[in-house]
Amino acid sequence: MKEMIQTKRKSMDGKSNAGTVRGLTGLGALYHKELADHLKSKRFLILLLLIGSTGFASLYGAVTALSDATGSDYLFLSLYTASGSSIPSFMSFIALLGPIIGLALGFDSVNSERAGGTLNRLVAQPIYRDSIIIGKFLAGTAVIAVIIYTMGVAVGAVGVISTGIKPTGEEVWRILIFLTFTVIYIAFWLALSILFSVFCRHAATSALASISMWIFFAIFMSLVASIIANAAYPMNDEYSMIFNSLPNYTLRLGLNRISPYYLYSEAVSTIMNPTVRSVNVVTVDQLQGAVTGYLSLGQSVLLVWPNLTGLAALMLIAFGGSYIGFMRQEIRAN
Amino acid sequence: MANERENVIEISHLTKKYGEKTAVNDLNLTIREGEVFGLLGPNGAGKTTTILMLLGLTEPTGGQALIAGMDCARHPLEVKSMVGYLPDNVGFYSDMTGRQNLRFTGRLNGLSGRELEERIDRLLERVGMTQAADRRAGTYSKGMRQRLGIADVLMKDPRIIIMDEPTLGIDPEGMRELLNMIRQLSEEDGRTLLISSHQLHQIQQVCDRVGIFVEGSLIASGTLAELEEQIRKDGVYLLELNVQPCDDKLLGMLYQQDGVEDIKKEGNTLLITSKKDIRSDLTEFLGTHGYTILNLHQRGGDLDEIYRRYFEKAGQNDERNDSDKKKKHGWKK
């Protein structure tokens, strides 16, 4: 009898030691499953097609625009930033359509498991509950990274072949930073859609909620910002314009920067245009005696570092919200 | 082994409150190793909540549940590695095949390589799903999902299996298979089973002991014979009687009988409530007065009656039951 107890105790000790290892294998298995699910899904194919076709359309526009352009020192970057033949640039396409990738990957991640009855089977396995949501987020982010880096590099490659422009080392770095920014930006939307999928019982509701957030930030936020700024610092007559134009603009900018869409656009246009020297208001006074020139890569990055921090923070807040929500939620069978 | 069965599940003063509502109220229950325990109760009695607390998926408001000596709320991972849970309406990833679903569960339990594949094959064979294993789980019928669910639970080779409403929506043939499987799991594998259900007849056939759970409280538990005994002790007997001819004179005479408390008439059947067993007296009496007994049946003994009786008992000091009774009366009129 004593022996039995001892061996039992031993096996129990072994088990608790294996707890952390087991938690990690659980996360690994979940990550692999989610990744395989995404990659095999029709959804992924559609997204790839959408981003692919817009990417190459914008490249076509950029190439036509470039043929009229006079020499710039950063010609290769123009492949991503130039727009022509009324087709927006790759950069603005991604800023507008990128969120769709994140939203499509995440909007049904938790509530579909709940509805399908797989969630309570999953939480009954010996894994930490948080590895479920972490696995989902990591797998989604990995898919986003695959799509974005593939598209970014593909557009560049086709650009090299079709125009014969060779990228310099600095340009390559700028493009990589741009793509990394994009991944973080889209990961924010993924986190947001996971947040909605945790709190909305139906996948349709969470899809609608996340799409409305996307439209709000992409289109209406700037309108709201200018309405508030104009209300706070009216610019009705010349007299008030003298005093109010600076605070009005600063307030509007500040409000706009709440929107991840604006934050991202500002950051990547700075990274991709070495001529951009400031993201804030510049007075004529400050420009006096300035020599026109390009900003070095390090300085460009420094300029948008706050944007990067802001984006990453927004992403973590959204993910943190879904994490807490998921951990505190009751797992009911019905 | 059999005579020194240890208590594998010990629940003491377990309470769960959702705001004002008490889902589980001071539950005390012990389940021994290798036993099949049936947790019976109507919908919303707190069965699922109890199960979730056992798995450490819901935090108890008070009290504790121990599985193999481990606190379910404190060591959920260790508990979940030896407890298999078959939820009601079990779901699978519809885009994956049955085999892939099992493989995923196996990986979550730290299995891999040949051990994993062999176990999948063996379990598919055992539940009779080998044929359908490589079809997408989305195409499975309810019964097939249930069978795959059992294979899924067995992936981790659990010591304890908890099934939540396993009999729901299963056809009679599937039911027979399920009950056979439950018996096998208990007798051949020596696993402990906790089955929650509101369908009495099926559970009656396989359970060693049952607990009756109403509105968050366990109002009785024990073997069927023990429960029956308990009711008998209350001294209430219910007799079903069909006689020919069935006239008003008979009713009056029956009321005169020693021990008879109340008589209700349901169609041609008389329901006689009495304080003692009056069967032999009644047979003699009716025989001598020229009545023919068509049917004489003492209720109790089957779980249905026990269940009904306990519900009545639990409801006596409950207001909701009053309104139910009123409804019944209204319906009768």
Side-chain angles (χ1 to χ4, degrees):
Chain A
M1 190 65 188
K2 240 180 199 172
E3 263 180 25
M4 250 176 72
I5 291 170
Q6 264 172 357
T7 46
K8 196 150 269 169
R9 196 164 287 159
K10 242 183 216 167
S11 68
M12 258 166 64
D13 283 350
K15 250 177 200 159
S16 54
N17 280 342
T20 41
V21 182
R22 190 158 252 178
L24 284 179
T25 45
L27 181 58
L30 276 159
Y31 172 77
H32 279 289
K33 188 232 150 220
E34 289 292 327
L35 200 60
D37 268 4
H38 282 317
L39 295 181
K40 276 190 238 161
S41 67
K42 287 196 188 80
R43 207 182 288 177
F44 175 72
L45 213 64
I46 293 169
L47 289 177
L48 206 61
L49 276 177
L50 174 77
I51 298 299
S53 52
T54 50
F56 288 111
S58 65
L59 183 68
Y60 170 76
V63 171
T64 33
L66 276 186
S67 55
D68 322 320
T70 45
S72 150
D73 284 336
Y74 291 94
L75 212 50
F76 191 75
L77 291 181
S78 318
L79 286 175
Y80 293 87
T81 56
S83 54
S85 318
S86 62
I87 302 169
S89 67
F90 182 71
M91 216 169 66
S92 39
F93 253 139
I94 289 285
L96 195 65
L97 289 181
I100 272 278
I101 306 178
L103 299 184
L105 291 177
F107 78 93
D108 65 345
S109 54
V110 175
N111 48 20
S112 72
E113 295 243 16
R114 195 182 288 278
T118 49
L119 187 64
N120 44 19
R121 209 163 47 82
L122 204 54
V123 291
Q125 306 303 333
I127 50 168
Y128 294 112
R129 198 197 277 196
D130 56 359
S131 46
I132 296 172
I133 195 145
I134 293 175
K136 280 179 186 298
F137 182 66
L138 285 183
T141 311
V143 171
I144 290 168
V146 167
I147 296 180
I148 293 304
Y149 284 114
T150 314
M151 279 320 301
V153 173
V155 165
V158 174
V160 169
I161 294 167
S162 59
T163 60
I165 310 166
K166 273 190 286 181
T168 63
E170 193 193 322
E171 281 173 323
V172 170
W173 276 114
R174 281 179 186 273
I175 289 165
L176 284 181
I177 292 170
F178 158 62
L179 295 177
T180 308
F181 253 100
T182 311
V183 171
I184 294 172
Y185 171 59
I186 297 177
F188 159 75
W189 290 101
L190 173 72
L192 192 70
S193 66
I194 291 180
L195 179 72
F196 283 122
S197 86
V198 168
F199 288 107
C200 300
R201 205 155 269 279
H202 300 287
T205 322
S206 81
L208 213 59
S210 37
I211 286 175
S212 58
M213 286 292 272
W214 167 51
I215 290 176
F216 175 76
F217 280 132
I219 298 170
F220 293 110
M221 190 63 193
S222 57
L223 299 178
V224 172
S226 58
I227 288 169
I228 294 175
N230 285 337
Y233 300 103
M235 304 222 288
N236 305 323
D237 46 64
E238 278 180 33
Y239 179 73
S240 58
M241 271 172 85
I242 294 172
F243 289 101
N244 284 349
S245 58
L246 183 66
N248 180 299
Y249 186 76
T250 316
L251 179 63
R252 190 189 308 179
L253 197 64
L255 287 174
N256 265 324
R257 280 182 181 154
I258 296 172
S259 156
Y261 172 73
Y262 190 85
L263 217 54
Y264 166 77
S265 305
E266 196 178 61
V268 293
S269 50
T270 307
I271 290 288
M272 296 300 273
N273 287 314
T275 44
V276 176
R277 308 181 63 157
S278 169
V279 289
N280 290 324
V281 188
V282 181
T283 57
V284 185
D285 221 26
Q286 287 168 319
L287 273 179
Q288 208 152 43
V291 183
T292 40
Y294 299 115
L295 226 52
S296 70
L297 175 61
Q299 291 302 310
S300 286
V301 172
L302 203 60
L303 204 56
V304 296
W305 196 255
N307 295 44
L308 178 67
T309 326
L311 265 183
L314 279 176
M315 179 188 84
L316 288 178
I317 288 169
F319 180 65
S322 52
Y323 182 96
I324 293 168
F326 183 70
M327 295 300 280
R328 296 179 68 95
Q329 230 165 27
E330 289 285 337
I331 306 284
R332 293 302 312 220
N334 35 15
Chain B
M1 190 72 186
N3 44 16
E4 50 175 288
R5 283 173 158 189
E6 58 176 314
N7 292 336
V8 70
I9 300 179
E10 285 172 88
I11 299 172
S12 50
H13 304 292
L14 196 66
T15 304
K16 175 74 187 179
K17 286 185 178 147
Y18 290 107
E20 290 282 289
K21 194 179 169 273
T22 306
V24 177
N25 186 16
D26 197 32
L27 176 65
N28 292 294
L29 181 66
T30 325
I31 297 174
R32 290 185 288 270
E33 178 105 57
E35 192 173 40
V36 182
F37 190 90
L39 198 57
L40 297 174
N43 294 328
K47 288 172 296 180
T48 305
T49 310
T50 307
I51 288 172
L52 292 180
M53 284 193 280
L54 279 177
L55 287 162
L57 296 178
T58 293
E59 201 94 355
T61 316
Q64 64 171 1
L66 300 179
I67 286 188
M70 274 181 294
D71 191 329
C72 300
R74 298 266 178 88
H75 306 279
L77 232 52
E78 285 84 352
V79 165
K80 282 191 278 187
S81 65
M82 64 181 158
V83 180
Y85 171 47
L86 184 71
D88 67 337
N89 217 343
V90 58
F92 290 95
Y93 296 107
S94 53
D95 288 339
M96 288 156 69
T97 66
R99 192 185 294 276
Q100 283 167 340
N101 269 297
L102 289 188
R103 194 173 290 144
F104 176 53
T105 305
R107 291 228 171 94
L108 288 178
N109 282 285
L111 295 169
S112 60
R114 261 187 57 195
E115 193 194 357
L116 175 63
E117 297 304 319
E118 276 169 11
R119 191 175 288 183
I120 291 172
D121 286 337
R122 206 177 59 234
L123 291 177
L124 283 171
E125 183 74 48
R126 182 163 184 184
V127 297
M129 285 286 289
T130 311
Q131 295 289 320
D134 295 307
R135 262 168 52 194
R136 282 178 46 231
T139 65
Y140 287 174
S141 68
K142 168 93 195 177
M144 288 162 92
R145 279 214 305 277
Q146 192 81 9
R147 278 190 278 164
L148 191 64
I150 290 175
D152 183 75
V153 164
L154 291 175
M155 276 309 286
K156 64 169 87 159
D157 193 20
R159 218 170 122 192
I160 301 157
I161 298 174
I162 298 178
M163 296 184 178
D164 198 358
E165 301 281 2
T167 52
L168 222 57
I170 303 285
D171 59 27
E173 175 63 16
M175 185 77 76
R176 208 178 48 78
E177 282 172 13
L178 177 72
L179 294 178
N180 271 339
M181 180 59 79
I182 290 174
R183 207 167 279 140
Q184 246 183 45
L185 290 174
S186 147
E187 284 166 13
E188 291 173 24
D189 301 5
R191 299 180 212 270
T192 312
L193 278 91
L194 173 63
I195 301 168
S196 104
S197 183
H198 65 257
Q199 287 175 309
L200 322 161
H201 298 283
Q202 288 78 24
I203 295 311
Q204 190 172 5
Q205 299 170 35
V206 289
C207 286
D208 299 325
R209 285 199 305 149
V210 294
I212 294 177
F213 209 51
V214 180
E215 310 218 323
S217 310
L218 190 73
I219 53 176
S221 80
T223 61
L224 283 179
E226 280 169 9
L227 290 186
E228 207 174 322
E229 183 73 11
Q230 238 167 309
I231 288 183
R232 288 276 153 76
K233 268 197 202 128
D234 295 346
V236 182
Y237 290 78
L238 193 65
L239 202 64
E240 268 177 42
L241 180 69
N242 283 44
V243 288
Q244 183 89 33
C246 186
D247 47 25
D248 288 341
K249 209 175 112 200
L250 173 72
L251 270 177
M253 285 200 294
L254 283 176
Y255 268 119
Q256 309 283 310
Q257 288 290 314
D258 190 27
V260 171
E261 284 205 320
D262 187 33
I263 303 171
K264 269 187 221 157
K265 204 170 170 185
E266 278 182 11
N268 280 329
T269 311
L270 297 172
L271 292 174
I272 304 171
T273 319
S274 62
K275 276 194 165 160
K276 57 171 193 172
D277 193 348
I278 51 166
R279 273 179 293 185
S280 57
D281 291 350
L282 210 58
T283 327
E284 207 186 313
F285 168 77
L286 290 171
T288 51
H289 286 78
Y291 290 99
T292 315
I293 298 173
L294 302 177
N295 174 28
L296 181 70
H297 173 62
Q298 179 92 52
R299 279 203 193 164
D302 61 347
L303 200 50
D304 217 1
E305 183 54 28
I306 295 172
Y307 195 49
R308 199 182 65 82
R309 184 56 66 74
Y310 272 112
F311 281 10
E312 264 178 12
K313 251 172 82 177
Q316 269 168 4
N317 34 19
D318 188 55
E319 293 165 353
R320 229 177 70 190
N321 202 281
D322 280 343
S323 64
D324 273 359
K325 269 182 186 163
K326 270 175 206 155
K327 240 187 251 165
K328 255 185 204 163
H329 280 296
W331 195 49
K332 249 185 179 172
K333 281 168 193 169

